[in-house]
């Protein structure tokens, strides 16, 4: 009799992991760290997962980074098939290709949190966490107006041609409208240091007098600043980047006159999304809906609060 | 489309009428004229030196790529390799800074590290292709992914930055020069001239063409095919190292975004210049012209508002194809 009991216990033990219903798996699918901002986003995703695994023993996380949309679709399919995820936090590489696959995951009853880049069909996700792209442009434009109340000539470097970039530029243009600020030229620096170095060199050849530069991104600001320095031009008063790269925040904090401010577009928004999803899975706290993380102007006064020395970005 | 007749211009065509030779030069001249008409600053000293200096990275790599392609090979890994070597050079210099001080010793160490890394990376490609007999396309596709991942990993997904003081010490390598000509331009010129001489005047250059044309015949003619092929990849690796030495001082940083698509730009430049993609014939000066064409297109598009920036890639594509069509017409006539 005793023997039988032991066998049953052993069987139960063996079957245990497979039957355990209380462990829930949250899948996190994000683009690989191919540029600075994505690197910071990867860092914050990993940090959030490490922290939440401690806080919620009943949660298990699976993180996958994809270098293209097709790989991301495969990652998500694998998560559903092999890990039986109960929730998916996804930052789509591109909206269009990911919409169908994410929708079919949602149909299986999985909680969907979409981050930053919206899907092209509405109503699929349960929670949407995103940065404020029009706001990012608006805050940048308002800062330009504040800095140059009498107007001035500026050049603009744009990112990779995407909706994100368009929304930012539209927000910026709306903010500077009627202020006397004149945009001499706009070119795509593709959120890349080398490209923006080249574009800025050519802007400097083309325009003998430039008052300020909206680099619209901190990686691009690095390239722009190097080009200005190499050309030895004194006419440019300042360069406004964006996103909150730690080196740039550092320069803002140090009172560098060429980098007087920065506008945030925090890569840590992925942590917000994972955290809210975890809260939603483990409690009855309602977390569905939309959460827009505002873009904040960082100046010397508040720069310390936006400096993350451990982040790669 | 025969490769063997390619080297000899058809007897009836007078040499100065040969479109295959003139094609890229005509394209270059047209671009210069268009640029000068569109913007008065185009021909300014500052703009010309900007374009030449920024073309130097791809240019130096394209010279090495000319030999690889002439010998019937291909190297897709050079862009990733440049990013990896740049990352390595920055890490070596940052690590050596406390021990050696911020002077010449650290800079020399960085230069040696870049050259050694380039040689080693080129040798690995060449070894896998010649000794292990794996397709060049597959080997270098593999190493392309490997180096790109390695630099992302070294940088922890972010950016590797040179120590600020070191950056100031290193900057003359890109921004400084002799008699108002900056080092990247001088290096590019020296590499191109040496490359042209090696291709035209040495046994090595002739062996490359022979192997690319028909490696079996070359082997029967007692050419050490494996060794020559290996040397083309090692040489290219070394030149990637040289290009990186000039790249690092420019922005003092390397990241996963460094050198993206450099391999395709280098290959495009080589082909625009008149080298046969399937090997057997190579023209180093043509590759130089090809690089300048690519550099000027980007520059002109930045200097004018005539074209929507969304169309930049399309314009580049059209000009690349046109430059190659100009050469092919000469052949269609033969």
């Amino acid at each position: 009799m005793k023997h039988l009991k032991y066998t049953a216990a052993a069987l139960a033990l063996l079957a245990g992991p497979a039957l355990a219903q209380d462990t829930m798996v949250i899948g996190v699918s994000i683009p690989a760290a191919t540029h600075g901002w994505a690197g910071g986003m990867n860092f914050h995703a990993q940090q959030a997962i490490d922290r939440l695994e401690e806080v919620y023993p009943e949660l298990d996380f699976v993180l996958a980074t994809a270098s293209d949309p097709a790989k991301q679709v495969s990652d998500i399919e694998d998560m559903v098939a092999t890990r039986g995820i109960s929730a998916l936090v996804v930052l789509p590489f591109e909206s269009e290709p990911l919409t169908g696959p994410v929708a079919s995951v949602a149909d299986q009853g999985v909680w969907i949190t979409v981050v930053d880049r919206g899907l092209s069909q509405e109503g699929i996700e349960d929670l949407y966490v995103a940065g404020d792209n029009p706001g990012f442009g608006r805050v940048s434009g308002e800062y330009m107006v504040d800095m140059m109340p009498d107007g001035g000539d500026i050049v603009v470097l744009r990112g990779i041609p995407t909706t994100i970039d368009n929304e930012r530029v539209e927000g910026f243009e709306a903010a500077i409208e009627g202020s006397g600020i004149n945009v001499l030229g706009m070119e795509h620096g593709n959120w890349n240091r080398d490209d923006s170095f080249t574009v800025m060199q050519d802007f400097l050849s083309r325009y003998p007098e430039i008052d300020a530069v909206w680099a619209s991104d901190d990686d691009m600001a690095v390239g722009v600043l190097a080009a200005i320095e190499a050309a030895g031009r004194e006419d440019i008063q300042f360069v406004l980047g964006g996103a909150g790269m730690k080196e740039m925040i550092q320069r803002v904090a140090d009172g560098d006159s060429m980098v007087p401010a920065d506008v945030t577009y925090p890569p840590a928004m992925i942590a917000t999304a994972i955290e809210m999803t975890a809260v939603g899975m483990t409690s009855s706290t309602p977390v569905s809906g939309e959460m827009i993380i505002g873009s904040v102007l960082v100046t010397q006064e508040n720069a310390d609060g936006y400096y993350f020395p451990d982040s790669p970005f | 489309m025969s490769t063997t007749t390619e080297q000899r211009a058809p007897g009836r065509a007078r040499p100065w009428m040969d479109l295959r030779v003139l094609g890229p030069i005509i394209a270059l001249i047209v671009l210069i004229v268009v640029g000068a008409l569109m913007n008065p600053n185009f021909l300014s000293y500052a703009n010309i030196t900007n374009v030449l200096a920024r073309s130097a990275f791809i240019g130096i790599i394209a010279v090495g790529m000319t030999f690889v392609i002439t010998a019937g090979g291909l190297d897709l890994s050079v862009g990733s390799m440049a990013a990896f070597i740049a990352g390595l050079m920055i890490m070596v210099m940052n690590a050596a800074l406390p021990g050696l001080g911020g002077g010449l010793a650290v800079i020399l160490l960085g230069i040696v590290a870049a050259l050694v890394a380039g040689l080693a990376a080129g040798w690995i490609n060449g070894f896998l292709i010649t000794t292990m007999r794996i397709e060049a396309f597959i080997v270098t596709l593999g190493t392309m992914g490997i180096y790109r991942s390695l630099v992302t990993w070294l940088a922890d997904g972010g950016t590797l930055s040179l120590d600020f003081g070191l950056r100031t010490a290193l900057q003359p390598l890109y921004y400084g020069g002799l008699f108002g000509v900056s080092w990247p331009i001088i290096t590019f010129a020296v590499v191109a001239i040496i490359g042209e001489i090696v291709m035209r005047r040495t046994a090595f250059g002739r062996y490359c063409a022979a192997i690319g044309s028909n490696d079996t015949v070359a082997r029967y003619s007692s050419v050490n095919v494996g060794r020559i092929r290996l040397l083309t990849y090692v040489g290219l690796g070394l030149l990637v190292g040289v290009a990186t030495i000039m790249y690092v001082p420019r922005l003092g940083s390397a990241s996963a975004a460094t050198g993206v698509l450099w391999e395709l730009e280098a290959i495009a430049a080589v082909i625009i210049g008149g080298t046969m993609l399937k090997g057997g014939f190579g023209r180093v000066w043509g590759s130089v012209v090809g690089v300048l064409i690519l550099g000027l297109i980007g520059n002109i598009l930045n200097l004018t508002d005539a074209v929507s920036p969304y169309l930049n890639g399309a314009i580049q594509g059209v000009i690349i194809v046109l430059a190659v069509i100009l050469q092919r017409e000469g052949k269609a006539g033969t």
Side-chain angles (χ1 to χ4, degrees), chain A residues 33-35 39 158 161 166 184 186-188 192-194 197-199 201-202 205-207 222-223 226 229-230 312, chain B residues 39 41 47 50 54 152 156-159 171 174-175 247 250-251 253 256-257 299 301-305 309-310 312:
Chain A
T34 48
H35 58 274
R158 307 184 56 162
N166 290 343
L184 293 170
M186 282 197 191
E187 287 286 343
H188 290 280
N192 176 299
R193 295 182 179 200
D194 290 305
F197 177 84
T198 307
V199 167
Q201 274 195 330
D202 292 344
S205 302
R206 191 168 152 192
Y207 305 111
V222 170
E229 197 187 320
Chain B
N39 194 304
N41 290 328
N47 190 50
N50 280 347
R54 74 171 77 128
T152 313
D156 205 8
T159 304
Q171 257 177 352
Y174 181 81
Y175 298 106
Y247 171 83
R250 189 168 81 169
L251 296 175
S253 66
N299 179 241
L301 290 172
N302 283 342
L303 288 179
T304 168
D305 283 325
Y310 294 136
N312 280 8

Side-chain angles (χ1 to χ4, degrees), chain A residues 11-67:
Chain A
L11 270 173
L13 214 70
L14 274 174
L19 292 174
Q21 294 284 321
D22 31 334
T23 309
M24 282 179 291
V25 182
I26 297 181
V28 180
S29 170
I30 54 179
T34 48
H35 58 274
W37 190 87
M41 192 259 303
N42 275 254
F43 168 82
H44 287 292
Q46 193 61 60
Q47 293 278 99
I49 288 172
D50 290 349
R51 192 180 62 245
L52 291 171
E53 277 184 335
E54 300 257 318
V55 177
Y56 304 107
E58 69 271 37
L59 287 184
D60 221 356
F61 290 88
V62 44
L63 173 70
T65 63
S67 47

